[in-house]
Amino acid sequence: MIFILFFLCTLLSYLYLKKQKKGKQKQRAKLLIPPGSMGWPYIGETLQLYSQDPNDFFAEKQTRYGNIFKTHILGCPCVMLASPEAARFVLVTHAHLFKPTYPKSKEKMIGPFALFFHQGNYHTNLRKLVQSSLAPEAIRKLVPDIEAIAISALESWASTVGEVIHTFHEMKKFSFEVGILSIFGHLDGKYLEQLKENYCILDKGYNSFPTNLPGTAYNKAILARKRLGEILSEIICERREKKLLGKDLLGHLLNFKTEEGQTLNEDQIADNIIGVLFAAQDTTASVLTWILKYLHDDQKLLEAVKAEQKMIYESNDGGKRPLTVD
C-alpha cells in the first residue's frame, strides 16, 4: 500500500508540474505575440479589410494596438509592422529568421514557379539569372528605347489638356512597357497588346477578395492569368522555332541550364516572367512618382536636373547621336 501511495503521489506531482510548465509557456507565448484581433475562424478580419478603405482599416488598428499588431487575413495569421525599426529588424538585422510566404490566392495569380515563392538552389540560380539580365550593362543598351517610351508618354500627357493625370497609374503603364522591353526586347505589337490587356485584368484582381465565382474580380484575374500563360507559350514556341534566343531576360531563361543539364519548362519560364513584371511594376512606379513629386516641390532641384539634361543633350550633338549613359 505504501508503495502504491508513493507511486500515485509521484505521478500526481509530475502531472501537476507539467501542467504548471505548460501554463507558463502559454503565458510567455501570449506575452511575445503582439496585441490585436484574429477575427472569425478562417475568415479572420478579411471581410472588415475589404469592406472599407485599407488605409482606414490599418490606421484604426495602429491607433488601437500600436505599430505592431496581429490580425488574420486571407486565411493567414499575420503580424503587421508599421514602424521603421520593426521593418529593419525583419528585412535587415534578423532577415535570416524569416522567409517570404504568400497567401495561396496570390501564388495562384503569379504562378507557383516564380522565384520569390522558393528558397535554395532554384531561387539562387533564378535570382542570379534575373539580376544579370537586368544589370546596368544590359539596361544601358536599352536607354534609347526607354527614352522613346518616355517621350511618347510625355506627349500623351501633354495632349490631355484640362484633364487630371493620375501620376502613379501613368508610371505603372510606363514601367510595364519598360519591363516588357527588358524581358522580350522588341515584341510584336499583337503580343504586346494582348499581354497589356490581360495583365491589367490580373493586376486589378490581385488584391480582390479571393472568391472564384463567375464575374468577380478574382475570377476575371484567374482567367486572365490563364490567357497570359497561353500568350507566353506562343511567344516561347516562336522564339524556339526561329532560334531567336536573344540576350533579353526571355533569352536567358530559354538558355538556362543547371549543373545537371536541366532546363526550365514553359510553366517555369512563364511564372518567372510574370513574377518579374509584378515585382518591378509597382515598386518602380512608386519610386518614379516620388521623383516627380520632389522635382515639382523643389525648384532648385528641377533646375539642376534640367541643366544636367541640357549638358547631356549638347554632348550628344543635339540629340543626333544615340543617348549613352556612363
Side-chain angles (χ1 to χ4, degrees), residues 8-21:
L8 288 173
C9 289
T10 305
L11 181 62
L12 290 170
S13 299
Y14 171 76
L15 293 173
Y16 175 75
L17 290 172
K18 191 174 181 181
K19 187 178 180 181
Q20 271 197 327
K21 188 178 179 181

Side-chain angles (χ1 to χ4, degrees), residues 234-301:
E234 285 183 35
I235 295 171
I236 292 167
C237 289
E238 191 174 293
R239 281 278 191 105
R240 281 175 170 162
E241 285 175 5
K242 295 181 179 179
K243 297 182 179 180
L244 300 171
L245 298 183
K247 294 184 178 180
D248 46 40
L249 176 58
L250 177 55
H252 280 77
L253 291 170
L254 289 169
N255 282 325
F256 175 75
K257 280 187 180 181
T258 64
E259 292 179 357
E260 295 78 23
Q262 292 180 327
T263 58
L264 298 173
N265 60 43
E266 285 188 9
D267 288 336
Q268 290 173 320
I269 293 173
D271 289 0
N272 280 287
I273 285 174
I274 293 172
V276 168
L277 274 176
F278 181 84
Q281 191 186 32
D282 276 11
T283 51
T284 306
S286 180
V287 170
L288 291 172
T289 301
W290 282 107
I291 288 172
L292 287 177
K293 174 178 167 50
Y294 289 133
L295 289 173
H296 176 270
D297 294 347
D298 192 330
Q299 289 300 308
K300 288 184 179 179
L301 178 61

Side-chain angles (χ1 to χ4, degrees), residues 41 43 60 87 107 114 160 166 193 212 218 261 265 286 308 325:
I43 296 173
E60 187 270 331
E107 188 177 316
T160 56
H166 297 279
E193 289 305 314
N212 199 10
Y218 182 78
N265 60 43
S286 180
E308 184 177 347
V325 178

Side-chain angles (χ1 to χ4, degrees), residues 67-85:
N67 287 330
I68 303 177
F69 57 90
K70 67 182 178 183
T71 183
H72 195 278
I73 296 171
L74 296 173
C76 300
C78 313
V79 173
M80 296 292 177
L81 310 178
S83 70
E85 295 77 18

Side-chain angles (χ1 to χ4, degrees), residues 136-153:
E137 293 77 16
I139 297 298
R140 188 177 290 118
K141 298 172 184 177
L142 300 175
V143 168
D145 296 306
I146 295 172
E147 183 185 25
I149 295 171
I151 291 171
S152 176

Side-chain angles (χ1 to χ4, degrees), residues 32-55:
L32 292 173
I33 297 173
S37 170
M38 301 301 280
W40 295 90
Y42 181 72
I43 296 173
E45 297 189 301
T46 308
L47 293 176
Q48 292 97 308
L49 173 65
Y50 280 93
S51 63
Q52 59 182 299
D53 187 315
N55 292 324

